[in-house]
Amino acid sequence: MSETAVHHDEHRDDLGSKLGMWLFIFTELLLFGGLFIVYAVYRHANQEAFHLAAKQLDVTVGTINTVILLISSMTIAMSTTAIQKKDKKLTLILIGITLILALVFLVNKYFEWSGKISHGLYPGSPVLEELGQGDILFFGLYFFMTGLHAVHIIVGMVFLGVGFMRVKNDRLSFDNYQLLENGGLYWHLVDLIWIFLFPLFYLIT
Amino acid sequence: MSDSSHHIVSYRTYGLILVLLLCLTGISVAVTQIELTRWTMAVALLLASTKSFIVLAIFMHLKFDEKIFRVMVAFVFLVFAAVIIVTFLDYAFR
């Protein structure tokens, strides 16, 4: 091995990168998992109040948001197929659709929250103080868990936005797309959490 | 790294999975609208678990990835299940 034979390999470990993303996803799963246990215990202790409070949530809005997230999960999954097939244009379109759907989800959430707040249902509100402990717990968990989930949507949008720009600038392509795949994994995590939030808050009354 | 052996999932597969997930969502909405009393919770959670399994397997590529990922995910879910069981054993026998 002579000195001149030194060549500059790109230092990259895609498998290690994916492993790191999964380890991070596990911490997220346990974070929300802990909140689900808090929900389960308080529901167990305040069954009647949780039953009545859950009826206040709009199933239609919840269902629309579920459909939006499921479709966006598919489009971002398809984008990793498109990039592997060297179809840059389709990759950008699919990431773009995902970002638009994410924005629509947030707009729905904004109107949903505004509706609740205008009815005096928000943490620490006089209306809730009158309704009692069970309702305070239900709406406290509702705002905290859907709020934390919405924060994850925003982080996911930034993550996928970076992926979009890199595909656009050709810094991310068919032989180097781990960032996009990791962004996709994060987006599916956001979907996964909503899959449980939706029945627990909207469907089960 | 192992990009040459990387499994490319077809658009069709993703499309079919979406249809399946939407059907399961429809079923869970329909089931919870009729009053099944104490079974509602169980059915809704079972459907949600089925949906999350499909998302993990196909959308998150666990079905096609190295085995280590499946082992790790299974371990995390077992830990979570253990925490749930311990919590409710505590509440049930107070």
Side-chain angles (χ1 to χ4, degrees), chain A:
Chain A
M1 289 275 178
S2 68
E3 284 287 320
T4 51
V6 173
H7 61 284
H8 293 282
D9 257 339
E10 201 186 342
H11 288 287
R12 220 176 78 212
D13 181 355
D14 286 347
L15 191 64
S17 168
K18 184 154 65 177
L19 204 62
M21 193 64 212
W22 270 107
L23 289 174
F24 172 64
I25 285 174
F26 294 155
T27 69
E28 294 273 34
L29 283 175
L30 293 176
L31 165 67
F32 276 93
L35 289 168
F36 283 127
I37 293 174
V38 171
Y39 170 92
V41 168
Y42 281 146
R43 175 161 203 128
H44 186 68
N46 304 278
Q47 291 185 4
E48 192 58 31
F50 268 55
H51 171 72
L52 293 173
K55 284 194 183 235
Q56 307 258 354
L57 296 186
D58 191 338
V59 178
T60 314
V61 178
T63 310
I64 291 169
N65 269 352
T66 306
V67 172
I68 288 170
L69 273 195
L70 288 176
I71 295 172
S72 72
S73 245
M74 181 197 68
T75 53
I76 203 65
M78 279 179 168
S79 77
T80 53
T81 299
I83 194 110
Q84 287 177 87
K85 290 187 172 176
K86 305 179 188 177
D87 194 339
K88 181 182 166 182
K89 194 178 161 206
L90 186 60
T91 309
L92 288 175
I93 291 171
L94 287 166
I95 303 173
I97 294 172
T98 310
L99 289 173
I100 291 166
L101 289 171
L103 198 64
V104 175
F105 180 95
L106 287 178
V107 169
N108 277 346
K109 194 97 263 165
Y110 167 78
F111 283 113
E112 201 191 349
W113 273 30
S114 311
K116 289 285 158 297
I117 291 167
S118 70
H119 284 98
L121 296 169
Y122 54 88
S125 76
V127 177
L128 274 184
E129 295 286 324
E130 295 221 340
L131 282 170
Q133 195 64 30
D135 289 82
I136 292 172
L137 287 170
F138 181 88
F139 282 102
L141 282 168
Y142 163 76
F143 278 107
F144 185 70
M145 290 175 80
T146 59
L148 190 62
H149 180 262
V151 169
H152 280 75
I153 296 262
I154 294 165
V155 172
M157 286 173 80
V158 173
F159 200 158
L160 295 177
V162 170
F164 184 91
M165 291 315 290
R166 290 205 178 172
V167 174
K168 201 161 177 258
N169 303 333
D170 292 315
R171 285 173 65 199
L172 202 152
S173 57
F174 72 96
D175 60 349
N176 174 26
Y177 60 87
Q178 194 55 47
L179 182 99
L180 183 59
E181 196 176 340
N182 285 352
L185 282 175
Y186 188 82
W187 195 254
H188 298 310
L189 162 81
V190 171
D191 185 25
L192 213 58
I193 293 162
W194 185 259
I195 284 176
F196 283 95
L197 283 179
F198 173 56
L200 287 179
F201 281 102
Y202 296 82
L203 292 182
I204 303 165
T205 58

Side-chain angles (χ1 to χ4, degrees), chain A residues 12-15 18-19 22-23 25-26 29-30 33-34 36-37 40-41 43-44 55 59 63 66-67 70-71 73-74 77-78 80-82 84-85 90 94 174-175 177 181 185 188-189 191-192 195-196 198-200 203-205, chain B residues 1-3 6-12 14-16 18 21-22 25 28-29 32-33 35 40-41 44-45 47-49 51-53 55-56 58-62 65-66 68-69 72-73 76-77 79-80 83-84 87-88 91-92:
Chain A
R12 220 176 78 212
D13 181 355
D14 286 347
L15 191 64
K18 184 154 65 177
L19 204 62
W22 270 107
L23 289 174
I25 285 174
F26 294 155
L29 283 175
L30 293 176
F36 283 127
I37 293 174
V41 168
R43 175 161 203 128
H44 186 68
K55 284 194 183 235
V59 178
T63 310
T66 306
V67 172
L70 288 176
I71 295 172
S73 245
M74 181 197 68
M78 279 179 168
T80 53
T81 299
Q84 287 177 87
K85 290 187 172 176
L90 186 60
L94 287 166
F174 72 96
D175 60 349
Y177 60 87
E181 196 176 340
L185 282 175
H188 298 310
L189 162 81
D191 185 25
L192 213 58
I195 284 176
F196 283 95
F198 173 56
L200 287 179
L203 292 182
I204 303 165
T205 58
Chain B
M1 271 190 69
S2 57
D3 273 10
H6 208 289
H7 187 276
I8 302 182
V9 186
S10 70
Y11 299 121
R12 197 182 132 81
Y14 284 137
L16 288 174
L18 175 68
L21 288 169
L22 290 176
T25 305
S28 50
V29 173
T32 46
Q33 295 310 302
E35 296 283 324
T40 311
M41 174 87 84
L45 286 180
L47 284 166
S49 305
K51 280 165 73 182
S52 56
F53 182 83
V55 169
L56 283 163
I58 312 292
F59 283 171
M60 296 175 94
H61 300 145
L62 279 181
D65 273 338
E66 290 80 359
I68 180 73
F69 291 101
M72 290 197 319
V73 172
V76 168
F77 278 94
V79 168
F80 183 53
V83 175
I84 292 176
T87 308
F88 276 89
Y91 271 86

Side-chain angles (χ1 to χ4, degrees), chain B residues 9 27 31-32 35 41 46 64 75 79 85-86 93:
Chain B
V9 186
I27 294 171
V31 164
T32 46
E35 296 283 324
M41 174 87 84
L46 192 70
F64 318 106
F75 178 73
V79 168
I85 292 166
V86 169
F93 295 107

